[in-house]
Amino acid sequence: MDVHEAIRTRRSFGLVKDVEVEIEKIEKILEAGTWAPCHFRTEPWRFFVFQGEGRNHLSEVLLKIAKKNGETEEKKLEKIQAKPFRAPVIIAVAVEPSENPKTIKIEEYGATYACIQNMLLEAHSLGIAGFWRTGKPTYDPLMKEFFGLSENGEVLGFLYFGYPLRSLPEGKRRSFEPLTKWIG
């Protein structure tokens, strides 16, 4: 699959089979992330891979955050606790901005977001569906603590991966033309 096709056919898709994803493919996805552009080669991304019973750890912290924020309804708590089991592999991606005085914090975030896009495109090229999830619990201090991030670190999202249950839907985008101003 060439890059042009991968960009246009990749979709966020969460309907996946409960089938293990081969470790070699997960490693290719992780490696693709490390090839994102990064000013001063600081490589600020950090990865945390959850599989099998390891997803229970993420489930527990999500439950803890929900309860801390006042959720008491049992059905909602069960739904929150089940989220990590929507896919056989979850990769949490965090940013740890460099201490290099030349770096600009927003550029460290930008590099990590580019890393995430690389990972999603690589997964797609391997026939693996993925979707990127964020939300308030992602940025909760308990989540940062759970991953052992520094004061400046931040979880930027959870990438859910698995083999799709059916073919991916066709995408739709607006033309770039009304969004573009040519200066020349």
Side-chain angles (χ1 to χ4, degrees), residues 70-105:
E71 185 58 64
T72 57
E73 191 179 316
E74 199 57 42
K75 289 250 186 227
K76 285 184 181 178
L77 291 171
E78 286 173 14
K79 188 175 179 183
I80 289 165
Q81 209 170 2
K83 285 182 178 186
F85 298 92
R86 295 183 285 192
V89 178
I90 301 168
I91 302 175
V93 182
V95 61
E96 277 288 0
S98 173
E99 305 269 331
N100 180 337
K102 292 181 180 180
T103 61
I104 299 169
K105 188 175 181 180

Side-chain angles (χ1 to χ4, degrees), residues 38 41-46 94-98 107-109 111-112:
C38 179
R41 294 191 203 125
T42 58
E43 300 183 17
W45 38 77
R46 301 296 181 268
V95 61
E96 277 288 0
S98 173
E107 291 180 354
E108 299 286 87
Y109 277 67
T112 307

Side-chain angles (χ1 to χ4, degrees), residues 26-40:
I26 297 169
E27 289 173 344
K28 282 184 177 186
I29 292 167
L30 292 165
E31 183 184 8
T34 69
W35 285 97
C38 179
H39 207 183
F40 301 111

Side-chain angles (χ1 to χ4, degrees), residues 10-128:
R10 191 210 66 78
R11 296 286 162 268
S12 292
F13 194 75
L15 298 174
V16 296
K17 300 174 185 174
D18 189 20
V19 173
E20 198 172 303
V21 176
E22 298 86 346
I23 194 78
E24 299 81 22
K25 290 185 178 182
I26 297 169
E27 289 173 344
K28 282 184 177 186
I29 292 167
L30 292 165
E31 183 184 8
T34 69
W35 285 97
C38 179
H39 207 183
F40 301 111
R41 294 191 203 125
T42 58
E43 300 183 17
W45 38 77
R46 301 296 181 268
F47 309 117
F48 305 88
V49 181
F50 295 90
Q51 296 176 279
E53 294 304 310
R55 296 173 293 177
N56 281 316
H57 299 291
L58 183 55
S59 179
E60 290 167 14
V61 74
L62 287 170
L63 186 63
K64 190 174 180 181
I65 290 169
K67 287 180 177 179
K68 176 191 85 159
N69 291 325
E71 185 58 64
T72 57
E73 191 179 316
E74 199 57 42
K75 289 250 186 227
K76 285 184 181 178
L77 291 171
E78 286 173 14
K79 188 175 179 183
I80 289 165
Q81 209 170 2
K83 285 182 178 186
F85 298 92
R86 295 183 285 192
V89 178
I90 301 168
I91 302 175
V93 182
V95 61
E96 277 288 0
S98 173
E99 305 269 331
N100 180 337
K102 292 181 180 180
T103 61
I104 299 169
K105 188 175 181 180
I106 196 168
E107 291 180 354
E108 299 286 87
Y109 277 67
T112 307
Y113 288 131
C115 161
I116 289 171
Q117 177 68 349
N118 279 6
M119 294 170 75
L120 290 166
L121 288 169
E122 181 71 27
H124 177 55
S125 78
L126 295 169
I128 297 168

